[in-house]
Amino acid sequence: MNAENLLFMILMIAFPFYLAAFVLYSIRIVKGPTIFDSVLAVDCLSFDLAAFIAILAIYFRSAFLATSAIILALWAFLLDLYLAKYFLKREVGI
Amino acid sequence: MIFIHLVILAISMILGFVFSYLAIMEEDLLKAVIYSAGQGVMFSIAFYILMAPDVLLAYIAIAIGIYTALLVFVISKTERKEVV
Amino acid sequence: MISEALMYIGGILVIIGGICDFFGALGLLRFPHFYVRLHAATVGTIGGAVVPLIGAAILALGCDFLGWIRYPIAGMSFITAILILIVSPTATHALAFAAHRSKAIEWKEKVCDHLEGVKR
Amino acid sequence: MKRGHIIALGVFIALILLVSLGITFVGKVPMTTDVRPLGLFYLKNSYFGNYAARSPEVVTSILWDYRGLDTLFETGVFFLAIISALALFRIEKKEEKVKEKGEGFTFIVKDTVRIISVLIVAVSAAIALHGHLTPGGGFQGGSALAVVPLLIIVAFSKYALEGRGLTKDTAMIVRSIGLISIIILVLIPLAAGGYLMQNLPVFPSHILGQLTSGSLVFYNLFEYIAVGAGFTAVFLLLSIPEKVFHKIIGGEKE
Amino acid sequence: MIEMFLWALVLVSLMATLVISIYGIVIRPSLIKKLIALTILTDSANLLAIMIGYRLIYPVIPPVLPQRTQEGLSKFIASSVDPLPQALVITAVVIGMAVNVLIAFAIIQIYRICGTTDVRKIAEVMKDGKT
């Protein structure tokens, strides 16, 4: 078995798990009885998407696409902090 | 081989439609903001598959970072519920 | 030889990450309330994002047919893994702190509130 | 989430599936496999050729060379929007100096933000300054830089940022410096005998052996500064607590 | 055939997103909800513009030249997507954000004057001349 077929096989085993996990996280975002559940699910979705982007960059064979992962991992953090601060103080700037 | 691209694209677009429907129909505005962030995540997968890394870098920072922060500011200064 | 071994190790890590991701999502969907769901979220982020990112770095290093672009992909993946390792616990901490203080989660108190008198 | 929403969503998704099935079997979907001639011209001429911008990044070379005037006026629209937003929130009286520091968040979040904000500045500078080689550029880097003051506002407080000297006026001054530098860069080729926003023969394509693609790197740098400072000014103004505004506007009680 | 079905599914769901966001802008009463719907409309319009430039071939790469040689150039032209819509969309994203900031400031100012963000109540307050 040559290397490209091995890579293709590994990725074909891994992709359905990731896509199913995205759908399940989306169901939790939609269902979430409180806002905190939804935010937690958005958080997990973004971090896992960062991992998925890095793996897809190997599949697409393009180095320029891998930069987005680092940005996505940094930015999902901001949403959590803002919602938490809103619930803590009701006024974000203090 | 293009099949895999199209499957990921179709899943992300349908989930994006679900999130945007809920963001527009939800009465609690804070939940609507979170659904809007979810829609931003889904559309960013679509931008990634459509091979637009330049747009993706701007879109992630705007739609997930700055935009939700702006809406939380606005909601904390005005009101949270929408009366239909 | 070395590159093949790197590919096997990276592939196994990526598949383990996918499985962790799936079960973390399942736990997030099935657990009863928010404080229990935080555990599933840990499985989903640390097991489902950090492990496959390190696996992707090793896998990219092993792929000889990619040419020079395997080094930037590996570096980006590794930096992202370290970053998620720092950021994700902080985010869940902030959410749990805010949920506890604002008393937004309804659940039956089993023992007592140890954080009652703790100053910030 | 109510029951009605679930039923409506199911109906909508079923409708989408049916319509796309119908389109597949009855009609025809445009599935392009080639590039349009204009796009092909940009792809061919971005790095090689007589009309080249000497940049391997085609999008940035379109953005600041081939369609530079377009982007220049878009930047003008951006600054008009920011200026009118600031004018809506204009405060006549001086905002009284607040001595209190503001509590902020817990110390775990504070420490993480201390590490992460340095990292974000580095990442955004890398995105903006490598905009002519890899994906990225002034707009992307600037909108990434604007997240740093947002993180500091939420983890510490607005007063921690203003105590260090980054007030609204400072951000406005930095933004104006970026804008004026862009205008000077637009006008330099006129003095050298070219036309407006000319790129290559006027600016050198290599500086110290590094590929800088003429004026693209300078445009990216100043756009980065300007966009980041503009968003910072807006969010500093937005994070003033509402109580202060009620005191200033005239004691309306609500 | 199945590829055409998936591509049609993508396009139709994008159109459905456009329609539902126009519904949100026109019908929903709250101003903040109108702002959220406006961003969804902007995003889906941008995505449609990007989709016009996409090519349905397998080795498809972003419009960044990988190797700076002549062979690299011919390989690049054979498999790169159209760069022109992307260049137009980048400015549209950032400008749309700036305009949204302006709208948000206007909403806060309207709330300070009228005490509500509901469009019908704002009309009543304006008619009574309480301000």
Side-chain angles (χ1 to χ4, degrees):
Chain A
M1 185 189 294
N2 65 352
E4 302 190 23
N5 283 339
L6 180 62
L7 176 70
F8 190 74
M9 203 191 72
I10 289 169
L11 296 182
M12 283 311 107
I13 294 171
F15 278 176
F17 284 109
Y18 282 97
L19 291 176
F22 290 159
V23 176
L24 290 180
Y25 282 134
S26 304
I27 292 172
R28 176 46 76 193
I29 297 172
V30 169
K31 265 177 77 176
T34 62
I35 287 175
F36 292 105
D37 297 305
S38 302
V39 182
L40 191 65
V42 171
D43 195 17
C44 295
L45 182 59
S46 315
F47 289 145
D48 293 332
L49 190 61
F52 190 57
I53 278 176
I55 296 167
L56 272 182
I58 303 174
Y59 174 66
F60 288 155
R61 300 182 189 189
S62 175
F64 307 115
L65 287 169
T67 319
S68 324
I70 188 167
I71 301 285
L72 191 57
L74 280 174
W75 270 213
F77 178 54
L78 190 73
L79 175 64
D80 290 15
L81 282 192
Y82 264 80
L83 264 296
K85 189 72 178 278
Y86 174 79
F87 277 99
L88 210 58
K89 294 264 179 75
R90 300 281 154 189
E91 182 81 57
V92 186
I94 307 173
Chain B
M1 294 290 250
I2 192 78
F3 178 72
I4 298 164
H5 300 219
L6 286 176
V7 166
I8 300 171
L9 197 58
I11 288 175
S12 72
M13 288 313 296
I14 285 183
L15 286 178
F17 170 71
V18 170
F19 281 134
S20 53
Y21 175 85
L22 287 169
I24 286 167
M25 293 300 169
E26 181 64 53
E27 290 175 13
D28 188 350
L29 289 174
L30 215 51
K31 272 192 177 179
V33 171
I34 294 163
Y35 292 144
S36 177
Q39 176 257 347
V41 173
M42 286 305 159
F43 274 25
S44 63
I45 309 178
F47 278 121
Y48 183 85
I49 301 291
L50 291 175
M51 297 288 156
D54 296 272
V55 184
L56 182 62
L57 285 174
Y59 185 77
I60 288 173
I62 294 285
I64 302 174
I66 297 178
Y67 187 66
T68 51
L70 178 73
L71 278 176
V72 171
F73 269 122
V74 172
I75 289 171
S76 77
K77 281 176 182 295
T78 61
E79 56 193 0
R80 190 176 151 185
K81 293 282 180 204
E82 178 193 33
V83 184
V84 180
Chain C
M1 184 59 211
I2 287 179
S3 65
E4 198 164 328
L6 283 178
M7 272 190 84
Y8 277 111
I9 295 171
I12 287 170
L13 281 181
V14 166
I15 292 171
I16 285 175
I19 293 169
C20 279
D21 202 358
F22 181 73
F23 281 104
L26 210 58
L28 202 68
L29 194 61
R30 296 290 299 165
F31 281 166
H33 64 81
F34 175 72
Y35 296 112
V36 186
R37 279 182 203 131
L38 283 175
H39 300 286
T42 308
V43 176
T45 52
I46 302 297
V50 177
V51 173
L53 276 168
I54 293 173
I58 297 172
L59 184 63
L61 279 181
C63 294
D64 285 330
F65 54 89
L66 285 180
W68 63 273
I69 65 167
R70 61 182 189 270
Y71 301 112
I73 292 177
M76 283 294 172
S77 306
F78 196 71
I79 291 173
T80 315
I82 299 294
L83 209 64
I84 289 177
L85 209 56
I86 298 173
V87 158
S88 147
T90 314
T92 41
H93 156 74
L95 274 182
F97 189 81
H100 183 80
R101 280 294 165 93
S102 67
K103 297 184 176 59
I105 314 291
E106 290 178 10
W107 61 302
K108 282 170 188 161
E109 236 173 317
K110 290 283 181 355
V111 191
C112 60
D113 188 0
H114 281 297
L115 291 177
E116 184 83 52
V118 176
K119 289 261 174 27
R120 168 192 320 275
Chain D
M1 175 150 179
K2 293 171 194 160
R3 194 168 208 87
H5 286 335
I6 301 173
I7 296 169
L9 265 177
V11 169
F12 270 119
I13 291 175
L15 239 147
I16 287 172
L17 284 172
L18 272 181
V19 168
S20 47
L21 261 180
I23 286 176
T24 314
F25 285 110
V26 176
K28 202 168 159 252
V29 195
M31 296 173 75
T32 53
T33 51
D34 50 347
V35 192
R36 279 156 209 76
L38 189 58
L40 197 63
F41 173 79
Y42 290 139
L43 287 180
K44 272 182 189 164
N45 285 299
S46 176
Y47 189 72
F48 299 103
N50 289 329
Y51 303 103
R54 295 292 286 174
S55 164
E57 231 280 62
V58 187
V59 177
T60 307
S61 65
I62 293 175
L63 206 62
W64 283 114
D65 191 3
Y66 296 113
R67 300 206 161 208
L69 280 178
D70 194 0
T71 313
L72 190 67
F73 285 102
E74 296 259 20
T75 313
V77 174
F78 174 79
F79 287 113
L80 275 182
I82 298 280
I83 284 172
S84 44
L86 293 180
L88 264 178
F89 262 35
R90 192 184 54 200
I91 300 174
E92 297 274 324
K93 292 178 207 166
K94 264 284 191 212
E95 186 189 347
E96 54 198 79
K97 286 281 181 189
V98 186
K99 288 297 178 203
E100 59 172 328
K101 275 185 69 179
E103 280 182 327
F105 227 108
T106 58
F107 71 96
I108 300 174
V109 178
K110 281 181 185 174
D111 283 349
T112 311
V113 166
R114 275 193 196 106
I115 300 168
I116 291 292
S117 53
V118 177
L119 228 150
I120 293 181
V121 171
V123 166
S124 64
I127 289 173
L129 293 180
H130 289 172
H132 57 289
L133 297 176
T134 57
F139 287 105
Q140 291 94 332
S143 51
L145 180 69
V147 177
V148 175
L150 277 174
L151 269 180
I152 294 175
I153 282 171
V154 73
F156 297 89
S157 71
K158 171 181 174 294
Y159 306 112
L161 206 59
E162 287 181 345
R164 303 275 155 74
L166 185 61
T167 57
K168 186 195 74 183
D169 299 331
T170 323
M172 295 284 282
I173 290 168
V174 173
R175 194 205 64 162
S176 306
I177 288 172
L179 191 55
I180 289 168
S181 310
I182 288 177
I183 291 172
I184 289 173
L185 270 179
V186 168
L187 292 179
I188 280 176
L190 274 185
Y195 52 89
L196 272 182
M197 291 196 81
Q198 191 178 3
N199 185 4
L200 253 198
V202 180
F203 295 96
S205 70
H206 288 74
I207 293 176
L208 298 176
Q210 295 290 319
L211 179 66
T212 55
S213 307
S215 57
L216 294 187
V217 63
F218 303 112
Y219 279 127
N220 276 333
L221 174 63
F222 293 125
E223 185 74 30
Y224 164 68
I225 292 171
V227 171
F231 278 133
T232 306
V234 166
F235 283 106
L236 275 175
L237 199 54
L238 204 55
S239 64
I240 298 173
E242 197 72 352
K243 269 189 257 166
V244 179
F245 264 102
H246 282 303
K247 216 182 283 174
I248 291 172
I249 288 175
E252 288 179 38
K253 290 183 190 79
E254 282 187 278
Chain E
M1 192 53 115
I2 186 142
E3 287 161 6
M4 189 181 274
F5 168 69
L6 284 172
W7 186 241
L9 185 61
V10 168
L11 287 178
V12 170
S13 51
L14 192 59
M15 288 299 165
T17 313
L18 271 173
V19 170
I20 203 100
S21 63
I22 289 173
Y23 165 81
I25 291 175
V26 176
I27 305 289
R28 303 296 288 188
S30 169
L31 282 174
I32 302 171
K33 187 53 74 64
K34 281 179 196 292
L35 179 55
I36 293 173
L38 184 64
T39 44
I40 294 175
L41 180 63
T42 317
D43 289 350
S44 39
N46 287 339
L47 196 53
L48 193 61
I50 296 280
M51 269 182 195
I52 291 170
Y54 188 59
R55 298 170 76 184
L56 285 145
I57 48 177
Y58 169 55
V60 56
I61 58 172
V64 183
L65 190 64
Q67 302 149 352
R68 294 174 210 157
T69 53
Q70 285 289 346
E71 308 97 66
L73 182 68
S74 59
K75 214 187 290 176
F76 172 62
I77 288 172
S79 62
S80 168
V81 296
D82 199 347
L84 191 56
Q86 301 190 9
L88 298 182
V89 162
I90 286 174
T91 49
V93 169
V94 180
I95 303 303
M97 180 63 209
V99 174
N100 282 334
V101 166
L102 175 60
I103 295 173
F105 275 56
I107 289 171
I108 294 173
Q109 205 71 7
I110 286 171
Y111 182 79
R112 279 179 195 151
I113 292 170
C114 299
T116 178
T117 57
D118 197 324
V119 180
R120 297 161 300 187
K121 283 182 193 163
I122 288 172
E124 282 177 17
V125 171
M126 286 296 177
K127 203 187 288 174
D128 291 347
K130 273 182 199 167
T131 61

